[in-house]
Amino acid sequence: MSPQDAARRLEEVARDLDLALYRLERAPPEGPDQVRAERKRLHRELDALRERIEDVSRALG
């Protein structure tokens, strides 16, 4: 992977991370079921972001 490709992919990850953080800053959803669903969704998204960062790291290594 070229450094330019890695930089582009990391910028995409940073943008997606910003969106996840924005959702954390909003008021929590009402009701325990909605809170659990949002937490589950954020967990999946953060895990996917971690995997994307690992992919870039492996490609550069």
Side-chain angles (χ1 to χ4, degrees):
M1 173 181 296
S2 74
Q4 294 85 5
D5 289 337
R8 181 183 49 77
R9 289 178 67 184
L10 289 173
E11 286 175 7
E12 291 170 0
V13 169
R15 183 193 68 236
D16 292 344
L17 181 58
D18 282 341
L19 292 173
L21 290 172
Y22 171 74
R23 281 196 310 280
L24 285 173
E25 293 172 350
R26 293 185 307 180
E30 293 184 24
D33 291 338
Q34 290 85 1
V35 170
R36 279 192 290 277
E38 179 66 12
R39 181 177 174 167
K40 195 177 222 181
R41 187 179 94 171
L42 281 169
H43 185 272
R44 279 193 312 269
E45 289 181 20
L46 291 172
D47 194 43
L49 289 170
R50 180 188 49 79
E51 289 176 8
R52 289 167 57 192
I53 291 169
E54 287 175 348
D55 289 345
V56 172
S57 177
R58 279 192 294 275
L60 290 173

